[in-house]
Amino acid sequence: MAVRVTQNMLNSNMLRNLHNSMRNMDKLQDQLSSGSKIAKPSDDPVVAARGMFYRSSLMENDQYKRNVSEAQSWMDMTDGTMDEVGNVLKRIKELLVYSGDGAVSPEDLKTMGSEVQELKNHLGTLANQQINGKYIFAGTDTNKAPYDSTANGGNGDFVSTNNSPINLEVSQNVFVTSNINAQNIFNFPDNANNMFKVLDNIMTELNNGRGASQFISSLDQQYDKLLAERASLGASVNRVDLIAERLHSQEVNITGLMSKNEDADMAEVMTDLKTQESVHSAALGSGARIIQPTLLDFLR
């Protein structure tokens, strides 16, 4: 059955088409001004879902990078402190070698004892080294000083027995240990014969005007253990550096994928906008012909 087309129908269709054309131009102008394909999830749910996944991945990657940075800070501080401990032990060894010279007077030996005392105090300060208010040689008891200057009858001793690792997640289910086992340095081989007890024995001999060269082998064992721990730390530092590089590359890749997913192709958008403007102009022209002439048009 034939349908009678009225003037109102023509007018309504023309307005609807003009509105659609203007809506398309508005969408293209939004893309051109924002540089994004979509303004809200309903514009393209697939693009929106992928964008949420990429942003979540970037947030996780940023947290992993912060964990890596914290681990690097701990390791750098630990390595620098261990280097200083090694320098102190080397100086003490020089004094022990010198004390074995029979020509050294008892007064000189007592002076050496005083220097060893100061070096021991400095080692205690190094054992209590902190970063961001946390003790780096106290295992997981980061709020408790591992060296107590009042322990061992006021002579000072390493009192911490915590050897637990501090693990940081630097990738999904990948953990690195940011600290070292300080027991292998300051409490080696045990608390009764650790580094500070050896120094106490050295000072006892020197303060009594006797040579202390017999403790060189014990001091060498302490120094060798320090070197072993520092080598182990160096291997961990290399691994963390590699992880940091991978996280940086991963951030670049994720950002690129997010850009491809969400960013509008400016050349394509501008071409589509010019095309839509031409369509809109044509629609306006055809609409002007469709509108029924008024009585004034006939009077002309």
Side-chain angles (χ1 to χ4, degrees), residues 29-30 45 94 104 155 161 167 177 181 192 204 234 242 252 254 257 261 271 277 291:
Q29 286 173 345
D30 284 344
E94 291 176 359
V104 178
N155 292 323
T161 57
N167 295 322
T177 301
N181 185 359
T204 298
L242 292 174
V252 173
I254 295 174
L257 290 173
N261 179 65
T271 302
E277 288 176 351
I291 297 176

Side-chain angles (χ1 to χ4, degrees), residues 24-37:
N24 290 334
M25 283 196 299
D26 181 62
K27 180 180 179 180
L28 291 170
Q29 286 173 345
D30 284 344
Q31 291 181 2
L32 194 61
S33 61
S34 66
S36 178
K37 292 179 182 179

Side-chain angles (χ1 to χ4, degrees), residues 44-295:
D44 192 329
V46 175
V47 171
R50 288 178 179 173
M52 292 175 62
F53 171 76
Y54 291 140
R55 281 178 170 76
S56 177
S57 298
L58 277 178
M59 291 177 62
E60 290 180 0
N61 197 75
D62 287 341
Q63 183 59 56
Y64 291 145
K65 288 175 64 178
R66 286 191 290 270
N67 290 350
V68 165
S69 179
E70 182 177 353
Q72 288 176 323
S73 298
W74 272 73
M75 291 178 176
D76 289 344
M77 177 66 72
T78 302
D79 184 64
T81 305
M82 292 170 71
D83 180 63
E84 196 167 349
V85 170
N87 291 335
V88 171
L89 294 181
K90 285 190 287 187
R91 174 54 184 165
I92 294 174
K93 183 177 179 180
E94 291 176 359
L95 294 175
L96 293 182
V97 173
Y98 186 42
S99 72
D101 188 344
V104 178
S105 66
E107 288 73 18
D108 291 337
L109 292 174
K110 292 179 181 179
T111 302
M112 293 180 194
S114 299
E115 183 175 354
V116 172
Q117 177 65 63
E118 294 302 321
L119 292 173
K120 179 192 174 184
N121 293 338
H122 186 57
L123 282 177
T125 302
L126 295 176
N128 283 341
Q129 182 66 54
Q130 300 180 62
I131 181 171
N132 297 328
K134 298 178 180 179
Y135 294 99
I136 63 176
F137 295 121
T140 52
D141 293 332
T142 55
N143 60 337
K144 297 179 181 179
Y147 179 82
D148 186 358
S149 59
T150 63
N152 190 25
N155 292 323
D157 197 7
F158 195 82
V159 296
S160 174
T161 57
N162 191 313
N163 59 358
S164 301
I166 298 176
N167 295 322
L168 294 174
E169 188 173 8
V170 294
S171 188
Q172 189 171 11
N173 296 324
V174 176
F175 296 85
V176 297
T177 301
S178 59
N179 65 335
I180 64 167
N181 185 359
Q183 303 298 316
N184 292 334
I185 299 177
F186 298 108
N187 255 349
F188 172 80
D190 51 55
N191 184 258
N193 300 282
N194 65 14
M195 180 184 299
F196 297 100
K197 298 292 176 52
V198 172
L199 297 185
D200 288 339
N201 294 333
I202 291 173
M203 285 186 291
T204 298
E205 294 298 313
L206 294 176
N207 291 334
N208 289 325
R210 298 190 295 267
S213 58
Q214 65 271 25
F215 294 103
I216 291 179
S217 60
S218 298
L219 198 66
D220 285 340
Q221 291 177 5
Q222 299 288 338
Y223 187 74
D224 291 341
K225 196 62 178 179
L226 174 69
L227 291 180
E229 286 298 316
R230 195 174 180 189
S232 178
L233 177 66
S236 298
V237 169
N238 291 335
R239 183 192 177 196
V240 171
D241 289 342
L242 292 174
I243 292 174
E245 292 178 5
R246 181 174 59 79
L247 290 175
H248 177 71
S249 300
Q250 197 166 322
E251 180 182 21
V252 173
N253 292 336
I254 295 174
T255 303
L257 290 173
M258 188 170 67
S259 176
K260 290 180 181 179
N261 179 65
E262 298 181 358
D263 293 351
D265 185 340
M266 290 306 182
E268 181 181 357
V269 172
M270 286 188 286
T271 302
D272 291 344
L273 182 59
K274 295 301 294 183
T275 301
Q276 192 62 44
E277 288 176 351
S278 299
V279 172
H280 189 70
S281 297
L284 289 174
S286 63
R289 297 184 183 88
I290 291 175
I291 297 176
Q292 186 178 8
T294 65
L295 179 60

